[in-house]
Amino acid sequence: MTQHARVVVIGGGVVGASALYHLAKLGWKDCVLIERDELASGSTWHAAGNVPTFSGSWNIMKMQAYSARLYKILGAEVDYPMNYHITGSIRLAHKKARMEEFAHSVAMARAQGLDYALLSPSEIKDKYPLMEMDDIVGGLWDAHDGDIDPSQLTQALAKGAKDMGAKVLRFNGVSAIKQLPSGEWKITTKDGTEFVAEKVINAAGYRAGEVAAMVGQYLPIIAMQHQYLITEMIPELAARDMKLPLVRDPDVSYYLRQERDGLILGPYEWNCKSDWHDGIPAEFAFQLWPDDLDRLESYIEQAVARVPVLGTVGVQKVINGPIPYSPDGNPYIGPQHGLTNFYNANTFSFGICQGGGAGKTIAEYVVHGEPEWDLWGLDHRRYTVFADQKYTIEKAEELYQNEYAIGFPNEERPAGRPRLKTPLFEKLTQKGAVMGARGGWERAAYFPRSAAEAEPRLSFHRAEQAWFEPVRAECDAVANHVGIMDLGGFSKFIVEGPGAEKWLDHLVCGALPRSNRVTLAYTLTPKGSILSEFTMTRLAPEKFYLMSAGSGLWHDMDWLTQHLPTDGSVKLSEVSQLASSLVLAGPRSRDLLKKITDADLSNNAFPWPSCQEIVVAGKKVTALRVNYVGELGWELHVPMGDLVHVYDAISEAGKEFGLKDFGMYAMDSLRLEKGYRSWKQDITHEYTPFDAGLERFVKLNKGDFIGREALIKRHEAGEKERFVPLIVEGNTADAPTCSIVFQDGEKVGIVGSGGWGFRIGKSIALSYVRLDLANVGTKLEVEILGKRFPAVVAEEPIFDPKNERLKAW
């Protein structure tokens, strides 16, 4: 018998139940959840059940705070009692850098209306009298933290969904999934029941990879063993009239919380272990692995020293259960690459605290096409083919070891690398380049001038970091001489055919470039927000070359593919790995390039921003008179097979002009001075082009394009914020992403990206501020690591505002 459902949710853990609940809340009640066993029988049932709101990410903090608010009212709303204890939590700091990290999180939290505070050692002792404070310098207080019974939570969400008309099918796993010619999905269960659904959500927890394989896809996911122990009853706790706050000691790497009259201790140990490399057992529900407390010995000893009563009693129980991990520890929420109407909501290593917000987000994806919050960092398409099982295991284990590590800027962790690299990788590393990976691609981060500068020195303060002085020298070379950078890893597409112009004009909100010209082009969501940014070049009347962020390859490929006309008038080719981009920039770049090409490089023959195919050192390259650093220069798009030859020829010719290699950190500094936006850092789908100060790339009167009507409506209603560059004075640390902007003590904006501008000798914070304050000269403040520093709205761009250096007449 075939049944119909608007949505089938696969997986009955907390996230699957939350997805079903939120779909029903949005009015989609003809939905079914299918669970192979009992609800909450996977990772959910053995989770410790902690519900922190703390995060280093602005939108993950929003997601977790939403969960905490939901859980407070859910039991009463659905008439299902739950054990939910809001005890507050203390995060301990052993060193100054940890307190600086806490200060940034406190600012983000307060800007979201969350009750956070920094604590002194004496204030910590007042809240947790059983703690020894000998080496603690301070802490962070999250008043909203606590713990919940995960199984009760899951059952409550499922009951709420069923009360609204949704269905739950237990003990009947999915055996096959197939997309029908109509675009609908046929889901077959092990007892032969068939469902035809418009959409599918893969919420299968640590079995999400198995579900993805049923539709021919691979998810980078591995199960990590996470152990926690529960003590026997502790008399000192039994004598108290209220529960102790939850404690996390991130500098040691464990959490400790009260469970009835005992304590739960859960470390994230360095000698961790992943499992199920060869597949998950067919039947593994409500099961655990054997405990292995030897791995936790040093963490137990340190926790006992911190809270001595922990060592006065025995261990009642040890939980060692599977927790799904992605390579970066963040879950997968959003569309599945290469498919339509198939979504992920899985791989949660912190599923209890994120489950409520995750269900809200995936339901909004399904119902509205996009969620309220831009959670690109949780979209599985951030990983492409480079993220195979070996990479996933190595990165997940590295992440687990560093679960509580401080989020320092520019930390380049080595596990799983290299994956994607250009033919220049070996040559650049032989030159001493410190490499970083972006979207799987290895790129030079900076070029140290000594062994000492090659050793990382992690800090929030710019001058304390090993890369600072080498990057100063690289920026100086680009500004005063000439620099070269191998910028592999752009997402690249060729669009051609008799329908190419009409199709692209419908996709983007601005004007298409003329032949052999280059422009920035923006695609919008149906709601008028920014979806993607492309550098678009017209190579011929019916042939276009599109480039976008390297990390957005599958994101952009899906968007383009799903909107292709069906009449064959447009051919789309993905060519990202066929060529790399050599950035040649600086006032002597023209003089250098003239030595190895016969092409006319004058402004009249090769103006900014334009494109030509030229011969460099005997090799054909596609040369674009544009760059991301704001100096005279070219991007030379060189076939991979010719890359080393062309680089060597440029290096030889550049000796007399002071040519110097530069890397990503220098490029980032230079682009900040020009106000060049970074995708998913400065521009997200939460903003329109008018919010982002990109109205020059919008042509509302050109005819219909995706998102036009919504954009017009939002623009006519008036923008509330505006993207502006801020100059920040007096700080030794640059503004981290999502630093808060103030005026007279009131939050008036938020920072997208910040950093030091070496050409101007100033700290820059590219920010969204309240529209009435977005005027040059307006005085504001930016809170950086707990201190507020004076800032002023600057002219955009800050450096070379008339683009005279780019044009180089």
Side-chain angles (χ1 to χ4, degrees):
M1 178 181 175
T2 300
Q3 302 180 38
H4 182 273
R6 200 164 189 183
V7 183
V8 165
V9 179
I10 302 172
V14 64
V15 175
S18 180
L20 190 72
Y21 168 85
H22 283 90
L23 285 168
K25 289 279 281 188
L26 290 177
W28 284 34
K29 300 176 181 181
D30 180 15
C31 301
V32 177
L33 183 152
I34 302 175
E35 165 56 44
R36 71 198 317 270
D37 204 274
E38 179 57 273
L39 296 181
S41 59
S43 290
T44 298
W45 78 272
H46 62 74
N50 303 330
V51 189
T53 61
F54 176 94
S55 176
S57 161
W58 176 259
N59 277 344
I60 291 178
M61 183 180 281
K62 281 186 181 179
M63 182 171 72
Q64 294 177 179
Y66 173 87
S67 295
R69 291 194 301 272
L70 172 65
Y71 300 166
K72 287 171 69 174
I73 63 172
L74 181 65
E77 177 190 316
V78 304
D79 191 24
Y80 194 98
M82 291 188 297
N83 291 318
Y84 184 25
H85 311 108
I86 302 173
T87 60
S89 70
I90 301 166
R91 290 176 185 263
L92 301 175
H94 295 238
K95 47 194 174 183
K96 173 187 172 184
R98 181 68 71 179
M99 286 299 287
E100 290 176 330
E101 179 189 50
F102 286 169
H104 178 56
S105 293
V106 167
M108 288 198 300
R110 288 177 174 172
Q112 294 187 20
L114 298 173
D115 185 11
Y116 276 31
L118 294 178
L119 300 177
S120 67
S122 62
E123 289 171 323
I124 294 172
K125 187 73 172 179
D126 289 342
K127 291 180 179 293
Y128 206 104
L130 303 180
M131 185 182 297
E132 297 297 320
M133 304 298 300
D134 52 315
D135 58 344
I136 298 301
V137 299
L140 179 148
W141 172 252
D142 172 4
H144 309 275
D145 207 338
D147 62 271
I148 196 167
D149 184 301
S151 296
Q152 291 177 344
L153 170 61
T154 305
Q155 294 289 351
L157 289 164
K159 180 180 185 298
K162 289 188 290 185
D163 288 348
M164 289 182 280
K167 297 179 181 178
V168 174
L169 182 64
R170 300 172 301 149
F171 302 105
N172 198 7
V174 172
S175 58
I177 311 171
K178 179 182 178 181
Q179 191 162 30
L180 304 175
S182 64
E184 296 175 304
W185 291 92
K186 183 172 77 171
I187 300 95
T188 305
T189 65
K190 66 181 181 181
D191 73 353
T193 303
E194 292 183 345
F195 291 89
V196 172
E198 297 173 22
K199 301 173 188 286
V200 175
I201 297 174
N202 177 3
Y206 55 66
R207 293 190 184 273
E210 295 178 341
V211 174
M214 292 182 187
V215 291
Q217 302 294 321
Y218 171 75
L219 273 182
I221 176 174
I222 197 69
M224 296 294 301
Q225 292 191 11
H226 178 62
Q227 298 186 87
Y228 64 87
L229 58 88
I230 306 172
T231 72
E232 296 171 339
M233 188 272 290
I234 298 174
E236 289 88 341
L237 300 187
R240 289 177 56 87
D241 57 4
M242 62 183 297
K243 292 187 72 171
L244 287 167
L246 195 154
V247 170
R248 293 179 182 83
D249 195 341
D251 292 323
V252 178
S253 192
Y254 66 81
Y255 59 85
L256 183 70
R257 76 162 174 84
Q258 186 171 340
E259 174 70 4
R260 297 181 180 174
D261 292 330
L263 289 170
I264 284 180
L265 172 64
Y268 289 90
E269 72 274 20
W270 193 258
N271 54 337
C272 59
K273 185 178 180 181
S274 60
D275 215 322
W276 292 340
H277 298 182
D278 299 321
I280 304 172
E283 299 300 328
F284 196 94
F286 292 115
Q287 296 184 53
L288 299 170
W289 286 305
D291 63 76
D292 186 6
L293 287 181
D294 289 345
R295 300 209 311 262
L296 309 186
E297 183 176 355
S298 67
Y299 301 89
I300 296 171
E301 290 173 352
Q302 292 179 82
V304 168
R306 180 66 55 210
V307 181
V309 295
L310 177 64
T312 62
V313 296
V315 174
Q316 178 191 121
K317 184 186 298 185
V318 177
I319 304 294
N320 185 15
I323 298 181
Y325 263 73
S326 69
D328 63 7
N330 282 336
Y332 299 134
I333 307 177
Q336 170 67 42
H337 168 62
L339 302 177
T340 56
N341 299 324
F342 196 100
Y343 299 84
N344 289 295
N346 53 59
T347 319
F348 287 81
S349 49
F350 296 94
I352 306 307
C353 68
Q354 295 176 354
K360 170 186 183 294
T361 298
I362 199 62
E364 290 168 348
Y365 260 121
V366 169
V367 176
H368 300 313
E370 63 184 87
E372 176 185 358
W373 312 311
D374 192 309
L375 291 171
W376 164 245
L378 311 186
D379 192 308
H380 96 94
R381 294 171 297 180
R382 67 190 186 270
Y383 295 112
T384 61
V385 292
F386 69 89
D388 58 13
Q389 187 190 51
K390 182 176 184 295
Y391 175 90
T392 302
I393 292 170
E394 291 177 6
K395 294 303 286 186
E397 291 179 352
E398 179 187 62
L399 186 282
Y400 190 95
Q401 293 168 338
N402 291 279
E403 190 66 71
Y404 284 135
I406 297 173
F408 286 115
N410 298 327
E411 182 179 6
E412 309 292 348
R413 293 181 183 166
R417 297 170 48 202
R419 302 304 291 179
L420 302 174
K421 54 187 181 179
T422 77
L424 282 174
F425 176 80
E426 283 74 19
K427 186 176 287 285
L428 297 179
T429 53
Q430 287 169 7
K431 283 188 168 185
V434 173
M435 307 299 287
R438 302 294 185 270
W441 283 89
E442 295 290 330
R443 295 176 178 172
Y446 70 100
F447 289 83
R449 301 163 301 176
S450 66
E453 289 179 342
E455 291 298 319
R457 297 197 301 270
L458 299 176
S459 172
F460 291 110
H461 300 272
R462 69 180 82 89
E464 295 176 1
Q465 300 178 63
W467 56 262
F468 187 72
E469 290 303 327
V471 170
R472 181 196 299 276
E474 292 170 27
C475 291
D476 178 74
V478 174
N480 298 303
H481 304 284
V482 58
I484 186 169
M485 179 183 186
D486 176 31
L487 196 55
F490 276 126
S491 300
K492 304 183 183 78
F493 309 93
I494 297 292
V495 177
E496 55 191 326
E501 180 177 26
K502 180 180 178 182
W503 179 62
L504 285 173
D505 198 45
H506 178 66
L507 283 189
V508 305
C509 63
L512 301 187
R514 305 190 307 272
S515 288
N516 299 317
R517 300 292 287 188
V518 186
T519 190
L520 283 180
Y522 293 88
T523 56
L524 307 182
T525 74
K527 294 184 178 181
S529 301
I530 300 172
L531 181 78
S532 281
E533 177 188 73
F534 292 93
T535 299
M536 182 183 293
T537 304
R538 192 191 290 249
L539 301 175
E542 297 178 346
K543 185 176 183 180
F544 295 82
Y545 180 36
L546 275 60
M547 290 183 296
S548 60
S551 59
L553 175 61
W554 280 1
H555 174 279
D556 293 337
M557 188 67 182
D558 283 347
W559 176 259
L560 294 170
T561 301
Q562 290 166 11
H563 288 85
L564 271 176
T566 58
D567 60 6
S569 63
V570 178
K571 179 184 177 184
L572 173 67
S573 304
E574 190 260 303
V575 295
S576 305
Q577 297 200 36
L578 299 186
S580 187
S581 305
L582 289 178
V583 179
L584 189 66
R588 303 304 304 274
S589 57
R590 179 184 281 124
D591 297 330
L592 189 163
L593 198 54
K594 283 165 64 175
K595 295 192 67 172
I596 50 177
T597 182
D598 293 330
D600 187 347
L601 303 177
S602 67
N603 279 310
N604 288 333
F606 205 148
W608 173 82
S610 65
C611 169
Q612 293 182 31
E613 186 177 89
I614 65 175
V615 176
V616 175
K619 303 295 182 181
K620 288 184 178 180
V621 307
T622 301
L624 276 61
R625 176 85 187 274
V626 295
N627 60 64
Y628 200 47
V629 300
E631 297 284 351
L632 169 67
W634 283 262
E635 282 184 6
L636 304 177
H637 293 252
V638 186
M640 290 295 191
D642 297 330
L643 187 63
V644 173
H645 173 83
V646 173
Y647 174 85
D648 286 344
I650 293 173
S651 298
E652 181 64 29
K655 290 178 180 177
E656 67 178 277
F657 302 109
L659 177 70
K660 186 175 182 64
D661 290 285
F662 70 99
M664 291 187 295
Y665 297 173
M667 181 179 69
D668 196 55
S669 169
L670 296 163
R671 69 97 183 168
L672 286 170
E673 294 171 314
K674 293 297 294 181
Y676 295 156
R677 282 69 160 160
S678 176
W679 184 68
K680 294 304 182 185
Q681 191 168 351
D682 301 310
I683 49 177
T684 74
H685 86 231
E686 296 182 31
Y687 298 105
T688 73
F690 292 99
D691 299 327
L694 297 169
E695 57 269 18
R696 63 193 182 279
F697 300 107
V698 178
K699 302 296 180 187
L700 293 176
N701 59 356
K702 73 168 188 169
D704 189 39
F705 56 84
I706 294 173
R708 178 178 181 270
E709 295 307 315
L711 180 61
I712 290 173
K713 186 177 296 185
R714 291 172 69 170
H715 183 49
E716 289 177 345
E719 285 72 43
K720 295 181 175 61
E721 296 175 285
R722 174 80 179 188
F723 183 92
V724 295
L726 302 180
I727 298 292
V728 188
E729 299 290 350
N731 57 322
T732 60
D734 300 305
T737 296
C738 297
S739 296
I740 308 303
V741 182
F742 292 88
Q743 187 183 65
D744 298 329
E746 179 186 0
K747 174 188 176 291
V748 296
I750 188 168
V751 174
S753 52
W756 185 257
F758 288 94
R759 286 179 297 198
I760 65 170
K762 299 285 186 180
S763 184
I764 301 166
L766 302 183
S767 309
Y768 286 88
V769 303
R770 207 173 67 199
L771 187 63
D772 61 306
L773 301 175
N775 304 304
V776 174
T778 300
K779 294 182 179 180
L780 303 168
E781 289 183 308
V782 177
E783 183 165 334
I784 301 175
L785 308 179
K787 297 181 181 179
R788 295 182 188 176
F789 295 90
V792 63
V793 177
E795 182 180 8
E796 185 185 356
I798 300 170
F799 180 77
D800 187 25
K802 296 182 179 179
N803 288 328
E804 293 172 333
R805 296 171 73 96
L806 277 171
K807 297 173 183 177
W809 292 103

